[in-house]
Short mmCIF file of all heavy atoms in Angstrom, two decimals:
data_model
loop_
_atom_site.label_atom_id
_atom_site.label_comp_id
_atom_site.label_asym_id
_atom_site.label_seq_id
_atom_site.Cartn_x
_atom_site.Cartn_y
_atom_site.Cartn_z
N GLN A 3 -67.67 49.69 -27.43
CA GLN A 3 -66.40 50.16 -27.96
C GLN A 3 -65.20 49.39 -27.39
O GLN A 3 -64.17 49.26 -28.02
CB GLN A 3 -66.24 51.65 -27.69
CG GLN A 3 -66.18 51.97 -26.21
CD GLN A 3 -66.12 53.46 -25.95
OE1 GLN A 3 -65.96 54.24 -26.88
NE2 GLN A 3 -66.28 53.86 -24.72
N ASN A 6 -64.86 45.86 -29.45
CA ASN A 6 -64.47 45.94 -30.86
C ASN A 6 -63.03 46.42 -31.03
O ASN A 6 -62.50 46.40 -32.12
CB ASN A 6 -65.40 46.89 -31.61
CG ASN A 6 -66.80 46.31 -31.72
OD1 ASN A 6 -66.95 45.11 -31.57
ND2 ASN A 6 -67.78 47.16 -31.94
N GLY A 19 -34.83 30.22 -29.86
CA GLY A 19 -34.09 29.06 -29.39
C GLY A 19 -33.37 28.32 -30.51
O GLY A 19 -32.70 27.35 -30.27
N ALA A 32 -7.90 27.66 -40.11
CA ALA A 32 -7.82 29.13 -40.17
C ALA A 32 -7.44 29.68 -38.80
O ALA A 32 -8.00 29.31 -37.79
CB ALA A 32 -9.17 29.69 -40.61
N ALA A 47 12.88 26.83 -36.63
CA ALA A 47 12.04 27.95 -36.24
C ALA A 47 12.82 28.93 -35.36
O ALA A 47 12.62 30.14 -35.43
CB ALA A 47 10.80 27.44 -35.51
N ARG A 65 14.60 16.41 -8.48
CA ARG A 65 15.80 15.81 -7.93
C ARG A 65 15.71 15.59 -6.42
O ARG A 65 16.25 14.66 -5.89
CB ARG A 65 17.01 16.68 -8.25
CG ARG A 65 17.34 16.69 -9.71
CD ARG A 65 18.62 17.45 -9.98
NE ARG A 65 18.79 17.58 -11.41
CZ ARG A 65 18.68 18.71 -12.07
NH1 ARG A 65 18.43 19.83 -11.43
NH2 ARG A 65 18.84 18.75 -13.37
N LEU A 92 10.80 -21.94 13.27
CA LEU A 92 9.36 -21.72 13.41
C LEU A 92 8.65 -21.91 12.07
O LEU A 92 7.62 -22.57 12.01
CB LEU A 92 9.08 -20.32 13.95
CG LEU A 92 7.61 -19.93 14.07
CD1 LEU A 92 6.89 -20.84 15.04
CD2 LEU A 92 7.47 -18.49 14.49
N ALA A 99 3.78 -29.06 10.38
CA ALA A 99 2.54 -29.37 11.11
C ALA A 99 1.33 -29.20 10.21
O ALA A 99 0.38 -30.00 10.26
CB ALA A 99 2.43 -28.45 12.32
N ASP A 109 -6.57 -22.93 4.20
CA ASP A 109 -7.35 -23.60 5.25
C ASP A 109 -6.89 -23.16 6.63
O ASP A 109 -7.72 -22.84 7.50
CB ASP A 109 -7.21 -25.13 5.14
CG ASP A 109 -7.81 -25.68 3.87
OD1 ASP A 109 -8.70 -25.01 3.30
OD2 ASP A 109 -7.41 -26.78 3.45
N VAL A 120 -0.76 -14.00 5.44
CA VAL A 120 -0.09 -14.02 6.75
C VAL A 120 0.57 -15.37 6.97
O VAL A 120 1.73 -15.47 7.39
CB VAL A 120 -1.10 -13.70 7.88
CG1 VAL A 120 -0.47 -13.89 9.24
CG2 VAL A 120 -1.63 -12.30 7.73
N GLY A 151 12.71 -15.54 19.89
CA GLY A 151 13.31 -14.73 20.94
C GLY A 151 13.47 -15.45 22.25
O GLY A 151 14.20 -15.01 23.11
N GLY A 163 22.05 -29.07 40.36
CA GLY A 163 20.88 -28.62 41.10
C GLY A 163 21.10 -28.75 42.59
O GLY A 163 20.65 -27.92 43.37
N ARG A 177 22.37 -31.54 52.77
CA ARG A 177 23.03 -30.77 53.82
C ARG A 177 24.52 -30.86 53.63
O ARG A 177 25.04 -31.86 53.17
CB ARG A 177 22.67 -31.32 55.20
CG ARG A 177 21.26 -31.05 55.52
CD ARG A 177 21.04 -31.41 56.96
NE ARG A 177 19.69 -31.01 57.33
CZ ARG A 177 19.19 -31.23 58.52
NH1 ARG A 177 19.91 -31.83 59.43
NH2 ARG A 177 17.99 -30.84 58.79
#
Side-chain angles (χ1 to χ4, degrees):
Q3 64 184 351
N6 292 340
R65 292 186 188 110
L92 177 62
D109 294 337
V120 173
R177 290 189 174 178

